[in-house]
Amino acid sequence: TNIEKEYASANYLYATYLQIGNGDMEAEPYFEEAFRIRARLAGYNVDTLERVSEDRPSIEDLFLLCRSMDQLAYIYLRLYPNSSTKGHLRLFQKSYKIMKECAKREPMSYRIHLATTLYNIGTSYLNTHKYDVAMKYLEKALNIDKALVIESPEIHLYTRNYSYDLERISGLYLWTIKDYIKAEEAALEASLVIENLYTYNPRVYEYDYVDKLYWLAVVYQEIGKYDEALEKSFSSLRILENANACAIKTENRIMDIKKLVAEIYAKKFIYNKANEFASDAFIIAKNLYIRSNTKQHFEQFKYATKTRVSILQRMSDNEMAESVISDCIALLNSHSDSLGESQIMDILELKQEIIEIW
């Protein structure tokens, strides 16, 4: 049993390492193996997710099973959002049921994890466009995390989780409910909450703070507060210049911010600045895609390319736009031989979209 536990931990850690460096697809089989082992150790059937052992599992085994289920569900959510066989929502819901048992046995230790599972379920329902149900679960997570912050403000993890609840709820208000006042209020509170942690320990919370500033900039852009959006975007870029975070993670966020700045300048009709930042974002996205060739980086390259071409079109810079299109298509063609059918279809769709923009 001890060897099995160590093997499960090794699979989980190696999967996390692969996920950071190479993406979800390479990490998936190791997370699956970790989940299968954790299910057996806790006395659960891997296929039905029902308990088959009469022995009461330890709370540690239950918690580690939930953690492995949540991580695998997140992988499925990102890789197979509409799959009927890779059931991310089923895993999240079962994890919630087991985590409630943990929280009942040891409330002080496991309430935070119960809130995280509720957050995960809300995110999963968001992906299936069931927004009312998503809001219900996200608000439950928010209420637990807010209570934990009030009870123990010195525990920074509670505050961090609370800020992510606020950000997710802000997104619901912004994109689906269209309540822009509440979207702005939640995004602003999320950034202020993390700002306190960042002031206390910049090196630990720099990326969280950047994340919240970026989201606040997105909200400001959507509601037409362009100057505020630019101010938050540039603040986040300044922090990332000396970031302590993972290099790929930092590059991804810099690219996101520069794309956002390009879009803001385009809305302000300052096309020379829009083109400058769109070009920077395109180069970063291109290099990330060349290095990793993952689905995530393909989607980022796709969006950066379309943004760049669209801005060049508005500037009537035909020659540069044609150069970007040629460069993009050549790169996509060079990757086609090593890809699966679905990825090749993605490339063909992107080519068609670029041509249609042009």
Side-chain angles (χ1 to χ4, degrees):
T1 301
N2 287 334
I3 292 175
E4 278 195 299
K5 288 181 178 180
E6 290 179 10
Y7 184 52
S9 298
N11 272 278
Y12 188 91
L13 289 171
Y14 187 57
T16 304
Y17 164 76
L18 286 175
Q19 187 181 25
I20 293 170
N22 302 334
D24 293 332
M25 193 163 288
E26 290 195 32
E28 179 188 0
Y30 296 95
F31 279 127
E32 287 180 331
E33 181 64 12
F35 162 66
R36 283 192 288 267
I37 298 168
R38 291 296 178 196
R40 287 199 300 272
L41 291 171
Y44 280 78
N45 182 286
V46 174
D47 298 317
T48 65
L49 301 182
E50 296 298 330
R51 189 179 295 173
V52 292
S53 172
E54 294 182 0
D55 297 330
R56 191 186 193 195
S58 71
I59 197 165
E60 179 187 9
D61 282 341
L62 288 176
F63 169 69
L64 291 173
L65 171 59
C66 288
R67 189 179 70 164
S68 65
M69 289 170 75
D70 282 356
Q71 188 58 62
L72 183 59
Y74 254 125
I75 293 286
Y76 288 164
L77 177 60
R78 287 193 288 261
L79 290 177
Y80 319 104
N82 301 310
S83 173
S84 58
T85 56
K86 303 282 188 176
H88 52 85
L89 185 56
R90 174 171 167 263
L91 286 172
F92 279 141
Q93 288 173 329
K94 188 62 181 181
S95 175
Y96 172 56
K97 184 177 179 181
I98 297 172
M99 192 60 74
K100 279 201 298 184
E101 181 180 338
C102 295
K104 187 176 180 180
R105 286 163 66 174
E106 292 187 22
M108 295 305 296
S109 299
Y110 291 97
R111 269 198 303 165
I112 182 175
H113 302 297
L114 183 62
T116 300
T117 303
L118 286 164
Y119 175 90
N120 292 338
I121 295 173
T123 300
S124 195
Y125 274 117
L126 269 179
N127 194 70
T128 57
H129 310 295
K130 295 178 179 178
Y131 302 118
D132 291 342
V133 183
M135 180 63 88
K136 181 182 75 172
Y137 280 101
L138 290 171
E139 285 181 336
K140 284 183 179 179
L142 180 75
N143 290 335
I144 293 174
D145 285 328
K146 187 174 183 178
L148 289 170
V149 170
I150 293 170
E151 292 169 17
S152 305
E154 73 281 1
I155 300 179
H156 294 169
L157 180 59
Y158 296 164
T159 304
R160 182 180 181 273
N161 286 1
Y162 176 55
S163 75
Y164 278 91
D165 296 336
L166 287 165
E167 180 184 348
R168 186 68 70 177
I169 287 174
S170 170
L172 257 176
Y173 281 128
L174 182 68
W175 302 121
T176 62
I177 301 174
K178 307 296 183 184
D179 188 332
Y180 300 124
I181 294 175
K182 288 187 177 180
E184 181 182 355
E185 287 175 349
L188 185 58
E189 185 177 356
S191 69
L192 292 174
V193 163
I194 284 295
E195 185 178 8
N196 292 332
L197 296 185
Y198 175 71
T199 303
Y200 174 79
N201 194 333
R203 302 302 283 176
V204 171
Y205 295 105
E206 61 190 9
Y207 195 83
D208 293 307
Y209 186 41
V210 164
D211 204 40
K212 299 300 166 287
L213 286 174
Y214 168 72
W215 173 248
L216 185 56
V218 169
V219 173
Y220 281 146
Q221 184 219 195
E222 288 298 318
I223 64 179
K225 294 186 175 183
Y226 299 135
D227 291 337
E228 290 89 339
L230 287 173
E231 188 265 322
K232 297 303 177 186
S233 297
F234 289 131
S235 293
S236 59
L237 283 174
R238 282 192 295 271
I239 294 171
L240 286 175
E241 286 175 359
N242 299 303
N244 191 41
C246 163
I248 292 178
K249 193 175 181 181
T250 301
E251 281 186 286
N252 279 325
R253 185 52 85 206
I254 289 174
M255 177 191 58
D256 290 336
I257 296 168
K258 292 201 169 191
K259 279 189 299 185
L260 178 63
V261 171
E263 291 167 359
I264 295 167
Y265 275 128
K267 288 184 176 181
K268 289 168 68 72
F269 307 107
I270 307 175
Y271 291 121
N272 59 329
K273 282 287 188 181
N275 183 49
E276 175 189 337
F277 283 92
S279 176
D280 289 347
F282 173 76
I283 291 169
I284 296 171
K286 176 183 173 183
N287 289 336
L288 286 170
Y289 179 53
I290 290 171
R291 293 206 307 266
S292 72
N293 198 21
T294 63
K295 174 76 171 177
Q296 175 191 357
H297 287 138
F298 170 77
E299 290 297 328
Q300 291 171 334
F301 175 61
K302 169 183 174 179
Y303 187 67
T305 302
K306 291 165 67 176
T307 300
R308 180 89 200 279
V309 172
S310 178
I311 289 172
L312 288 169
Q313 182 187 38
R314 285 181 251 181
M315 295 175 67
S316 300
D317 191 342
N318 299 349
E319 185 176 346
M320 180 57 72
E322 288 173 1
S323 174
V324 171
I325 291 171
S326 298
D327 188 23
C328 172
I329 291 176
L331 176 60
L332 295 173
N333 287 337
S334 70
H335 279 63
S336 296
D337 292 340
S338 60
L339 300 178
E341 184 178 345
S342 63
Q343 291 171 298
I344 291 174
M345 289 301 298
D346 287 338
I347 287 176
L348 292 173
E349 287 177 11
L350 175 55
K351 288 180 183 178
Q352 185 61 37
E353 287 174 12
I354 293 171
I355 292 168
E356 287 173 359
I357 291 171
W358 186 238

